Structures are given as structure tokens and as C-alpha cells.
Amino acid sequence: MKTVFHHKKITGLLSVIPEQTVRFEDEVDNYTFPPRQTLRLQKVMGYKQHCIVKENTSTSDLCIAGLERILNQGWLKKEEIGGIVVSTAFPDYFIPPVSSLIHGRFALDEDTICVDVSQGCVAFLWGLIEAFMLAERIPDKKILVFASDVLSKRVSKKDRNSYPLIGDAAGIAVVENDEHAGDVHTILRNRGDIDGVLRIPAGGSRLACSPQTAVLRDSDGDGNLRALDNLTMRGSDVFNFVQTAVPPLITDVMEYAGTSMDAVDWFLFHQPNKFMLRKLAEKLEIPYEKMPMNTVEEFGNSSGACIPVNITYNLADGMKKQKQRCCISAFGSGLTWGAMVIDLGEMDFCEMFISDC
């Protein structure tokens, strides 16, 4: 899909981070590998710490905590909300959708549109696309985008490939119409034939969770123990996909937007790990200082929430003061990858919120 949205603006952004932080060094004994060998990966991969939710916290809890913060601060009024878009790979339930849970918690107007999108790494981009389309039909209201996941619950603690990097978080954006806003050029692509690269095998209608699907095994012979209930990721395949598919995507979206790499102030990308981001920056010849890549070390890879976490952690002050030309891009489960060239800034709020979830 290649399209351009007119007169759309993000007027507020909040990331919600759980207060529980676990350091990489404290988990090295979880794995079947010698601790010294595991610690060698720390610098290369960007392993430092990750933020994970409490045992009884669900996806909607992060979203609700964030919206409570926004309303309590007076940044938004309930009657201004015309739609809710929740983009997540791990909802509270199959039914009802997370958007309906948020709607009910805040007793929003019956005319408020509620939409859930099943997405992982590209969740924030997909949520923005849905919000921009909804804003076309609800011109006098604001649309809330929630990109939230608690995937730490579905990753094996004995999987050194994935668990040290996984973080939980939510990103919340306020989208509205603004006749003075610049165009948002967007490209989104899918390859459903290679979906097995990232998958949680059990838990859906194909294979229900059971005692058998919870058994940990070294099914790939790589020393990592996972169950069918857990996320499985073929790391080398993901790396190769990102390095081959994302650079031409960025080139294409730049050409589509009629801009150049030099004219972009910030490249705000999904954060799978620091090694992958460095290689991507080098391939695209983007200076490291224009591509923040530190949030995966501080908070973990928070799936679809990575981009809001990145912005609120690194660029909060600037986003409230002035417009900045940004390229945001995400890539992952699906496999799906996409990018936007968008002007961000002059926001009513841009904040990272630490929640007790």
C-alpha cells in the first residue's frame, strides 16, 4: 500500500512503561549456556535491562493507566474522543476487544468508534493508518491510537535469543485533523508467505493451549528452551529480512515524499536490538545520532510501542516546541514492514509515564 494522508497531525504522545525493571546480569543463570558466554553478548546486542509487567497485568491495564494520566493532566477531555484504535498482538481476551474494554472503563459516548488491529512490531504504524482514515469520517473529534503489548508473558524465560530483549509497554497517540498539517506519506508492505519467522504456535484456534503445549523443549537444537505457548523467532532470518527489505522501503518512501535523507531530522525505527539497528543505519548511510537506538537497552523491545517509547524518551522536549521532519519505520511479525514521512512536533504533550502495572 502506498498512500498519502492530508491534514492529519499527532497532537499528543504518551508512553507507558511498567515500573518493574530487570537487569540482564540478574537473568544469566536462567539459560542453559555458561554465564560468561552469555555476558559476551551484552555489548554486541545491546542487552542491559528490560521493563516487564506484573504477573496479573494485561494489555488493557497499560492502556487504561496511560489514558487516566492523559485525562487527569487535562490534556484531553472524554467528550473530545471520537474513536479508539488498539493495535496489539496479545489482547486481554479473544472477546471482547481491548478497545471495548477501554471504552467501558471510561464510560465513553456510545458513538465512539472502537477498533482492534492484530499487529505486533508494526502496531503503531498500523494504528496511525487506521486513525487517519477514521479522522476523515469524524472530522470534529480526536482519535486515540494505542499500541500496547505484554509479550514478556509469552516468551520463555529460558530463551536467550528473545527473552533478554522483550519489554512491555504501551504507546498512546492523539490524532486529529489540522488544516495546517503537512502531508503524511506512507508505504506498508506484507509477506505472509514467510510468517513462520515470528510465531506463537499455540493459543489460537489452530492449536489450543494445553499441558502438552507448555512443555519446554530445545526444539531447534540451539540450546534455548521454548514451549509451543511461547514466541518462536528465527533470529538470522529476521536479521536478513530487515537488512534486505527495509533499506529499499526507506528509499521508496523518501522518493514518494519528495524529500531527501539529509532533510529528515530523525529516523525513528522499531528497536529489535542495537546490533540490527547499527547495521541498518550503516546500510542506509544514516548517522547514528539521527537514529536513536538506546531504548532497547533501557526498556527492551516493546513490540509496537517501540516508536512512541523512542520519541518520548529521547525527543520529548523538542516535540513540544517545534516541528521536526521524521521518518518512522517498523518491521516484524507478519511479516509486515512500513514507513512514514511525517512532521512531528508542537504537541500538547509528549511524556514517558512510569506505571505501577
Side-chain angles (χ1 to χ4, degrees):
M1 181 187 80
K2 181 183 288 188
T3 191
V4 56
F5 297 100
H6 307 288
H7 311 305
K8 301 294 180 287
K9 184 180 179 182
I10 297 175
T11 55
L13 192 64
L14 182 81
S15 65
V16 184
I17 305 293
E19 65 180 1
Q20 181 177 223
T21 300
V22 183
R23 296 187 62 82
F24 177 67
E25 292 91 337
D26 296 333
E27 295 179 325
V28 293
D29 291 331
N30 289 352
Y31 313 118
T32 60
F33 308 91
R36 182 177 294 181
Q37 181 192 94
T38 297
L39 287 167
R40 290 197 198 106
L41 295 172
Q42 189 168 24
K43 185 175 181 179
V44 175
M45 302 301 291
Y47 292 155
K48 182 180 176 182
Q49 60 191 26
H50 56 160
C51 296
I52 56 177
V53 294
K54 297 176 181 176
E55 185 176 351
N56 62 346
T57 297
S58 65
T59 295
S60 71
D61 293 324
L62 291 173
C63 298
I64 288 169
L67 185 50
E68 282 181 339
R69 172 72 175 173
I70 291 170
L71 294 172
N72 290 340
Q73 291 294 112
W75 292 327
L76 182 71
K77 297 177 181 178
K78 286 201 302 181
E79 55 268 27
E80 295 179 294
I81 301 171
I84 295 173
V85 178
V86 175
S87 196
T88 182
F90 193 20
D92 295 34
Y93 313 106
F94 286 125
I95 299 173
V98 177
S99 57
S100 292
L101 297 175
I102 298 169
H103 181 282
R105 171 62 178 78
F106 292 97
L108 299 179
D109 190 275
E110 291 181 356
D111 288 334
T112 305
I113 299 296
C114 294
V115 178
D116 270 32
V117 179
S118 178
Q119 278 294 332
C121 306
V122 190
F124 186 62
L125 278 178
W126 252 119
L128 289 178
I129 290 170
E130 292 285 346
F132 292 155
M133 292 190 291
L134 277 178
E136 285 290 317
R137 300 302 175 189
I138 318 174
D140 58 338
K141 295 283 189 177
K142 301 179 182 183
I143 313 298
L144 297 184
V145 176
F146 296 84
S148 179
D149 265 315
V150 290
L151 284 175
S152 66
K153 293 170 172 280
R154 297 303 298 269
V155 179
S156 168
K157 293 183 179 181
K158 295 186 176 296
D159 182 353
R160 194 184 65 178
N161 282 4
S162 300
Y163 190 73
L165 289 168
I166 289 294
D168 301 320
I172 306 173
V174 180
V175 169
E176 58 185 284
N177 293 290
D178 183 342
E179 63 179 9
H180 302 295
D183 292 342
V184 182
H185 292 83
T186 306
I187 299 177
L188 190 70
R189 292 173 177 158
N190 288 278
R191 281 286 307 274
D193 58 315
I194 48 177
D195 71 307
V197 170
L198 283 163
R199 176 179 287 178
I200 299 176
S205 59
R206 173 77 53 191
L207 178 64
C209 290
S210 68
Q212 289 73 35
T213 64
V215 176
L216 293 170
R217 299 184 177 89
D218 181 7
S219 55
D220 293 338
D222 59 1
N224 291 290
L225 303 181
R226 310 177 191 90
L228 293 174
D229 293 343
N230 299 139
L231 174 74
T232 61
M233 176 177 66
R234 300 203 301 264
S236 60
D237 289 342
V238 173
F239 177 83
N240 291 333
F241 164 75
V242 170
Q243 299 303 313
T244 56
V246 175
L249 167 73
I250 302 303
T251 301
D252 289 351
V253 80
M254 290 292 139
E255 181 179 340
Y256 184 45
T259 191
S260 67
M261 303 285 278
D262 290 339
V264 174
D265 296 304
W266 298 106
F267 292 87
L268 304 168
F269 287 9
H270 173 63
Q271 303 227 346
N273 61 64
K274 193 169 184 177
F275 176 76
M276 190 180 295
L277 287 170
R278 282 181 174 270
K279 292 298 182 182
L280 193 56
E282 291 163 7
K283 195 159 191 176
L284 285 163
E285 298 183 349
I286 297 171
Y288 288 162
E289 58 268 21
K290 292 180 71 171
M291 185 193 286
M293 54 186 78
N294 55 351
T295 60
V296 67
E297 293 179 285
E298 298 295 332
F299 310 104
N301 172 358
S302 50
S303 188
C306 276
I307 292 171
V309 170
N310 190 352
I311 296 170
T312 56
Y313 182 63
N314 289 299
L315 307 173
D317 289 340
M319 287 296 167
K320 289 181 282 189
K321 294 176 181 177
Q322 61 189 17
K323 286 185 180 179
Q324 300 170 76
R325 173 137 282 209
C326 301
C327 175
I328 62 177
S329 180
F331 28 84
S333 57
L335 292 174
T336 306
W337 65 112
M340 281 182 180
V341 175
I342 182 172
D343 292 331
L344 297 176
E346 299 178 350
M347 296 183 186
D348 298 329
F349 63 93
C350 186
E351 180 183 278
M352 174 173 284
F353 174 56
I354 307 299
S355 169
D356 61 0
C357 288

mmCIF file of all heavy atoms in Angstrom, residues 109-141:
data_model
loop_
_atom_site.group_PDB
_atom_site.id
_atom_site.type_symbol
_atom_site.label_atom_id
_atom_site.label_comp_id
_atom_site.label_asym_id
_atom_site.label_seq_id
_atom_site.Cartn_x
_atom_site.Cartn_y
_atom_site.Cartn_z
ATOM 1 N N ASP A 109 -18.755 7.937 25.156
ATOM 2 C CA ASP A 109 -20.007 8.073 24.423
ATOM 3 C C ASP A 109 -20.266 6.848 23.539
ATOM 4 O O ASP A 109 -19.335 6.271 22.981
ATOM 5 C CB ASP A 109 -19.951 9.342 23.566
ATOM 6 C CG ASP A 109 -21.293 9.691 22.947
ATOM 7 O OD1 ASP A 109 -21.595 9.138 21.873
ATOM 8 O OD2 ASP A 109 -22.031 10.492 23.546
ATOM 9 N N GLU A 110 -21.535 6.481 23.387
ATOM 10 C CA GLU A 110 -21.889 5.303 22.599
ATOM 11 C C GLU A 110 -21.493 5.439 21.127
ATOM 12 O O GLU A 110 -21.347 4.432 20.426
ATOM 13 C CB GLU A 110 -23.396 5.038 22.698
ATOM 14 C CG GLU A 110 -23.844 4.563 24.070
ATOM 15 C CD GLU A 110 -25.329 4.293 24.134
ATOM 16 O OE1 GLU A 110 -26.031 4.545 23.126
ATOM 17 O OE2 GLU A 110 -25.794 3.826 25.200
ATOM 18 N N ASP A 111 -21.350 6.652 20.651
ATOM 19 C CA ASP A 111 -20.979 6.864 19.258
ATOM 20 C C ASP A 111 -19.474 6.719 19.009
ATOM 21 O O ASP A 111 -19.028 6.809 17.863
ATOM 22 C CB ASP A 111 -21.415 8.263 18.799
ATOM 23 C CG ASP A 111 -22.923 8.368 18.626
ATOM 24 O OD1 ASP A 111 -23.548 7.331 18.381
ATOM 25 O OD2 ASP A 111 -23.456 9.485 18.739
ATOM 26 N N THR A 112 -18.700 6.509 20.069
ATOM 27 C CA THR A 112 -17.252 6.356 19.914
ATOM 28 C C THR A 112 -16.937 5.058 19.166
ATOM 29 O O THR A 112 -17.373 3.977 19.567
ATOM 30 C CB THR A 112 -16.562 6.329 21.290
ATOM 31 O OG1 THR A 112 -16.924 7.498 22.026
ATOM 32 C CG2 THR A 112 -15.055 6.288 21.125
ATOM 33 N N ILE A 113 -16.194 5.175 18.085
ATOM 34 C CA ILE A 113 -15.813 4.009 17.292
ATOM 35 C C ILE A 113 -14.665 3.275 17.984
ATOM 36 O O ILE A 113 -13.682 3.882 18.404
ATOM 37 C CB ILE A 113 -15.369 4.435 15.878
ATOM 38 C CG1 ILE A 113 -16.503 5.144 15.139
ATOM 39 C CG2 ILE A 113 -14.874 3.233 15.082
ATOM 40 C CD1 ILE A 113 -17.704 4.277 14.875
ATOM 41 N N CYS A 114 -14.794 1.949 18.096
ATOM 42 C CA CYS A 114 -13.760 1.115 18.723
ATOM 43 C C CYS A 114 -13.246 0.096 17.706
ATOM 44 O O CYS A 114 -14.033 -0.652 17.126
ATOM 45 C CB CYS A 114 -14.324 0.387 19.948
ATOM 46 S SG CYS A 114 -14.775 1.486 21.303
ATOM 47 N N VAL A 115 -11.940 0.079 17.516
ATOM 48 C CA VAL A 115 -11.319 -0.806 16.531
ATOM 49 C C VAL A 115 -10.108 -1.478 17.151
ATOM 50 O O VAL A 115 -9.280 -0.813 17.774
ATOM 51 C CB VAL A 115 -10.868 -0.012 15.280
ATOM 52 C CG1 VAL A 115 -10.188 -0.930 14.274
ATOM 53 C CG2 VAL A 115 -12.041 0.705 14.634
ATOM 54 N N ASP A 116 -9.978 -2.783 16.982
ATOM 55 C CA ASP A 116 -8.769 -3.505 17.347
ATOM 56 C C ASP A 116 -8.083 -4.009 16.083
ATOM 57 O O ASP A 116 -8.751 -4.495 15.160
ATOM 58 C CB ASP A 116 -9.082 -4.702 18.251
ATOM 59 C CG ASP A 116 -9.064 -4.331 19.726
ATOM 60 O OD1 ASP A 116 -9.416 -3.184 20.042
ATOM 61 O OD2 ASP A 116 -8.729 -5.195 20.558
ATOM 62 N N VAL A 117 -6.767 -3.898 16.042
ATOM 63 C CA VAL A 117 -5.957 -4.383 14.932
ATOM 64 C C VAL A 117 -4.962 -5.390 15.486
ATOM 65 O O VAL A 117 -4.269 -5.105 16.466
ATOM 66 C CB VAL A 117 -5.203 -3.228 14.243
ATOM 67 C CG1 VAL A 117 -4.344 -3.750 13.106
ATOM 68 C CG2 VAL A 117 -6.173 -2.164 13.742
ATOM 69 N N SER A 118 -4.901 -6.571 14.876
ATOM 70 C CA SER A 118 -3.959 -7.594 15.320
ATOM 71 C C SER A 118 -2.615 -7.368 14.636
ATOM 72 O O SER A 118 -2.423 -7.736 13.476
ATOM 73 C CB SER A 118 -4.498 -8.991 14.985
ATOM 74 O OG SER A 118 -3.568 -9.986 15.368
ATOM 75 N N GLN A 119 -1.708 -6.717 15.366
ATOM 76 C CA GLN A 119 -0.369 -6.443 14.826
ATOM 77 C C GLN A 119 0.644 -6.478 15.951
ATOM 78 O O GLN A 119 0.328 -6.205 17.108
ATOM 79 C CB GLN A 119 -0.328 -5.076 14.145
ATOM 80 C CG GLN A 119 -0.862 -5.057 12.722
ATOM 81 C CD GLN A 119 -0.010 -5.858 11.757
ATOM 82 O OE1 GLN A 119 1.197 -6.012 11.944
ATOM 83 N NE2 GLN A 119 -0.635 -6.389 10.716
ATOM 84 N N GLY A 120 1.874 -6.773 15.591
ATOM 85 C CA GLY A 120 2.958 -6.805 16.562
ATOM 86 C C GLY A 120 3.889 -5.626 16.380
ATOM 87 O O GLY A 120 3.609 -4.505 16.783
ATOM 88 N N CYS A 121 5.020 -5.844 15.726
ATOM 89 C CA CYS A 121 6.059 -4.824 15.615
ATOM 90 C C CYS A 121 5.593 -3.580 14.871
ATOM 91 O O CYS A 121 6.068 -2.473 15.128
ATOM 92 C CB CYS A 121 7.281 -5.405 14.920
ATOM 93 S SG CYS A 121 7.908 -6.910 15.709
ATOM 94 N N VAL A 122 4.666 -3.722 13.936
ATOM 95 C CA VAL A 122 4.201 -2.600 13.110
ATOM 96 C C VAL A 122 2.923 -1.988 13.700
ATOM 97 O O VAL A 122 2.236 -1.222 13.043
ATOM 98 C CB VAL A 122 4.000 -3.063 11.651
ATOM 99 C CG1 VAL A 122 3.759 -1.899 10.702
ATOM 100 C CG2 VAL A 122 5.237 -3.813 11.162
ATOM 101 N N ALA A 123 2.627 -2.311 14.940
ATOM 102 C CA ALA A 123 1.352 -1.912 15.541
ATOM 103 C C ALA A 123 1.119 -0.406 15.537
ATOM 104 O O ALA A 123 0.010 0.064 15.257
ATOM 105 C CB ALA A 123 1.265 -2.451 16.974
ATOM 106 N N PHE A 124 2.144 0.382 15.856
ATOM 107 C CA PHE A 124 1.944 1.826 15.933
ATOM 108 C C PHE A 124 1.659 2.406 14.549
ATOM 109 O O PHE A 124 0.754 3.238 14.394
ATOM 110 C CB PHE A 124 3.178 2.492 16.549
ATOM 111 C CG PHE A 124 3.013 3.971 16.795
ATOM 112 C CD1 PHE A 124 2.044 4.445 17.667
ATOM 113 C CD2 PHE A 124 3.837 4.896 16.156
ATOM 114 C CE1 PHE A 124 1.886 5.809 17.899
ATOM 115 C CE2 PHE A 124 3.696 6.251 16.383
ATOM 116 C CZ PHE A 124 2.713 6.715 17.255
ATOM 117 N N LEU A 125 2.393 1.963 13.543
ATOM 118 C CA LEU A 125 2.137 2.431 12.179
ATOM 119 C C LEU A 125 0.732 2.066 11.721
ATOM 120 O O LEU A 125 0.002 2.890 11.162
ATOM 121 C CB LEU A 125 3.156 1.829 11.218
ATOM 122 C CG LEU A 125 4.530 2.494 11.115
ATOM 123 C CD1 LEU A 125 5.400 1.721 10.140
ATOM 124 C CD2 LEU A 125 4.405 3.928 10.675
ATOM 125 N N TRP A 126 0.346 0.817 11.952
ATOM 126 C CA TRP A 126 -0.990 0.379 11.557
ATOM 127 C C TRP A 126 -2.053 1.185 12.296
ATOM 128 O O TRP A 126 -3.067 1.585 11.719
ATOM 129 C CB TRP A 126 -1.174 -1.114 11.866
ATOM 130 C CG TRP A 126 -1.199 -1.983 10.648
ATOM 131 C CD1 TRP A 126 -0.322 -2.986 10.339
ATOM 132 C CD2 TRP A 126 -2.137 -1.948 9.576
ATOM 133 N NE1 TRP A 126 -0.656 -3.568 9.139
ATOM 134 C CE2 TRP A 126 -1.776 -2.951 8.651
ATOM 135 C CE3 TRP A 126 -3.251 -1.166 9.301
ATOM 136 C CZ2 TRP A 126 -2.477 -3.188 7.474
ATOM 137 C CZ3 TRP A 126 -3.959 -1.400 8.120
ATOM 138 C CH2 TRP A 126 -3.566 -2.407 7.231
ATOM 139 N N GLY A 127 -1.832 1.420 13.586
ATOM 140 C CA GLY A 127 -2.788 2.200 14.365
ATOM 141 C C GLY A 127 -2.948 3.608 13.831
ATOM 142 O O GLY A 127 -4.065 4.141 13.751
ATOM 143 N N LEU A 128 -1.829 4.231 13.445
ATOM 144 C CA LEU A 128 -1.907 5.574 12.868
ATOM 145 C C LEU A 128 -2.678 5.580 11.558
ATOM 146 O O LEU A 128 -3.494 6.475 11.298
ATOM 147 C CB LEU A 128 -0.500 6.135 12.639
ATOM 148 C CG LEU A 128 0.305 6.516 13.879
ATOM 149 C CD1 LEU A 128 1.696 7.010 13.468
ATOM 150 C CD2 LEU A 128 -0.403 7.576 14.711
ATOM 151 N N ILE A 129 -2.434 4.585 10.719
ATOM 152 C CA ILE A 129 -3.158 4.495 9.442
ATOM 153 C C ILE A 129 -4.662 4.401 9.678
ATOM 154 O O ILE A 129 -5.461 5.104 9.054
ATOM 155 C CB ILE A 129 -2.646 3.289 8.633
ATOM 156 C CG1 ILE A 129 -1.220 3.558 8.134
ATOM 157 C CG2 ILE A 129 -3.565 2.988 7.461
ATOM 158 C CD1 ILE A 129 -0.529 2.351 7.543
ATOM 159 N N GLU A 130 -5.063 3.535 10.604
ATOM 160 C CA GLU A 130 -6.488 3.398 10.927
ATOM 161 C C GLU A 130 -7.047 4.712 11.474
ATOM 162 O O GLU A 130 -8.162 5.136 11.144
ATOM 163 C CB GLU A 130 -6.684 2.280 11.951
ATOM 164 C CG GLU A 130 -6.400 0.882 11.450
ATOM 165 C CD GLU A 130 -7.508 0.347 10.543
ATOM 166 O OE1 GLU A 130 -8.605 0.942 10.515
ATOM 167 O OE2 GLU A 130 -7.262 -0.663 9.860
ATOM 168 N N ALA A 131 -6.269 5.378 12.337
ATOM 169 C CA ALA A 131 -6.726 6.625 12.943
ATOM 170 C C ALA A 131 -6.881 7.727 11.897
ATOM 171 O O ALA A 131 -7.842 8.512 11.933
ATOM 172 C CB ALA A 131 -5.760 7.058 14.035
ATOM 173 N N PHE A 132 -5.923 7.818 10.976
ATOM 174 C CA PHE A 132 -6.016 8.832 9.925
ATOM 175 C C PHE A 132 -7.276 8.612 9.084
ATOM 176 O O PHE A 132 -7.948 9.582 8.700
ATOM 177 C CB PHE A 132 -4.777 8.776 9.021
ATOM 178 C CG PHE A 132 -3.497 9.203 9.692
ATOM 179 C CD1 PHE A 132 -2.272 8.746 9.227
ATOM 180 C CD2 PHE A 132 -3.504 10.054 10.778
ATOM 181 C CE1 PHE A 132 -1.086 9.141 9.821
ATOM 182 C CE2 PHE A 132 -2.321 10.453 11.397
ATOM 183 C CZ PHE A 132 -1.111 9.990 10.913
ATOM 184 N N MET A 133 -7.597 7.348 8.785
ATOM 185 C CA MET A 133 -8.800 7.066 7.998
ATOM 186 C C MET A 133 -10.071 7.378 8.784
ATOM 187 O O MET A 133 -11.039 7.923 8.233
ATOM 188 C CB MET A 133 -8.780 5.605 7.536
ATOM 189 C CG MET A 133 -7.685 5.317 6.503
ATOM 190 S SD MET A 133 -7.794 3.691 5.729
ATOM 191 C CE MET A 133 -7.374 2.621 7.098
ATOM 192 N N LEU A 134 -10.076 7.050 10.070
ATOM 193 C CA LEU A 134 -11.241 7.373 10.895
ATOM 194 C C LEU A 134 -11.440 8.879 11.008
ATOM 195 O O LEU A 134 -12.573 9.371 10.986
ATOM 196 C CB LEU A 134 -11.074 6.775 12.292
ATOM 197 C CG LEU A 134 -11.448 5.311 12.491
ATOM 198 C CD1 LEU A 134 -11.162 4.888 13.923
ATOM 199 C CD2 LEU A 134 -12.919 5.078 12.173
ATOM 200 N N ALA A 135 -10.329 9.613 11.127
ATOM 201 C CA ALA A 135 -10.424 11.065 11.269
ATOM 202 C C ALA A 135 -11.071 11.709 10.045
ATOM 203 O O ALA A 135 -11.679 12.783 10.152
ATOM 204 C CB ALA A 135 -9.035 11.659 11.514
ATOM 205 N N GLU A 136 -10.965 11.054 8.898
ATOM 206 C CA GLU A 136 -11.632 11.561 7.704
ATOM 207 C C GLU A 136 -13.143 11.586 7.880
ATOM 208 O O GLU A 136 -13.827 12.451 7.334
ATOM 209 C CB GLU A 136 -11.273 10.679 6.494
ATOM 210 C CG GLU A 136 -9.881 10.873 5.953
ATOM 211 C CD GLU A 136 -9.710 12.215 5.254
ATOM 212 O OE1 GLU A 136 -10.618 12.614 4.493
ATOM 213 O OE2 GLU A 136 -8.681 12.869 5.487
ATOM 214 N N ARG A 137 -13.676 10.630 8.629
ATOM 215 C CA ARG A 137 -15.124 10.486 8.785
ATOM 216 C C ARG A 137 -15.644 11.084 10.085
ATOM 217 O O ARG A 137 -16.857 11.198 10.284
ATOM 218 C CB ARG A 137 -15.499 8.994 8.722
ATOM 219 C CG ARG A 137 -15.115 8.341 7.411
ATOM 220 C CD ARG A 137 -15.763 9.053 6.237
ATOM 221 N NE ARG A 137 -15.328 8.525 4.961
ATOM 222 C CZ ARG A 137 -15.616 9.087 3.779
ATOM 223 N NH1 ARG A 137 -16.321 10.213 3.759
ATOM 224 N NH2 ARG A 137 -15.176 8.559 2.658
ATOM 225 N N ILE A 138 -14.725 11.416 10.994
ATOM 226 C CA ILE A 138 -15.128 12.045 12.263
ATOM 227 C C ILE A 138 -14.300 13.329 12.399
ATOM 228 O O ILE A 138 -13.417 13.426 13.253
ATOM 229 C CB ILE A 138 -14.876 11.101 13.460
ATOM 230 C CG1 ILE A 138 -15.290 9.663 13.141
ATOM 231 C CG2 ILE A 138 -15.637 11.581 14.695
ATOM 232 C CD1 ILE A 138 -14.938 8.658 14.218
ATOM 233 N N PRO A 139 -14.541 14.304 11.555
ATOM 234 C CA PRO A 139 -13.637 15.454 11.464
ATOM 235 C C PRO A 139 -13.594 16.343 12.696
ATOM 236 O O PRO A 139 -12.618 17.065 12.907
ATOM 237 C CB PRO A 139 -14.194 16.231 10.261
ATOM 238 C CG PRO A 139 -15.634 15.825 10.165
ATOM 239 C CD PRO A 139 -15.666 14.398 10.600
ATOM 240 N N ASP A 140 -14.628 16.288 13.524
ATOM 241 C CA ASP A 140 -14.686 17.184 14.680
ATOM 242 C C ASP A 140 -14.255 16.506 15.984
ATOM 243 O O ASP A 140 -14.413 17.078 17.063
ATOM 244 C CB ASP A 140 -16.092 17.746 14.849
ATOM 245 C CG ASP A 140 -17.148 16.654 15.010
ATOM 246 O OD1 ASP A 140 -16.880 15.505 14.595
ATOM 247 O OD2 ASP A 140 -18.228 16.941 15.553
ATOM 248 N N LYS A 141 -13.719 15.293 15.886
ATOM 249 C CA LYS A 141 -13.314 14.544 17.078
ATOM 250 C C LYS A 141 -11.845 14.132 16.973
ATOM 251 O O LYS A 141 -11.223 14.209 15.906
ATOM 252 C CB LYS A 141 -14.180 13.286 17.243
ATOM 253 C CG LYS A 141 -15.650 13.560 17.519
ATOM 254 C CD LYS A 141 -15.887 13.985 18.963
ATOM 255 C CE LYS A 141 -17.368 14.049 19.281
ATOM 256 N NZ LYS A 141 -17.618 14.382 20.695
#
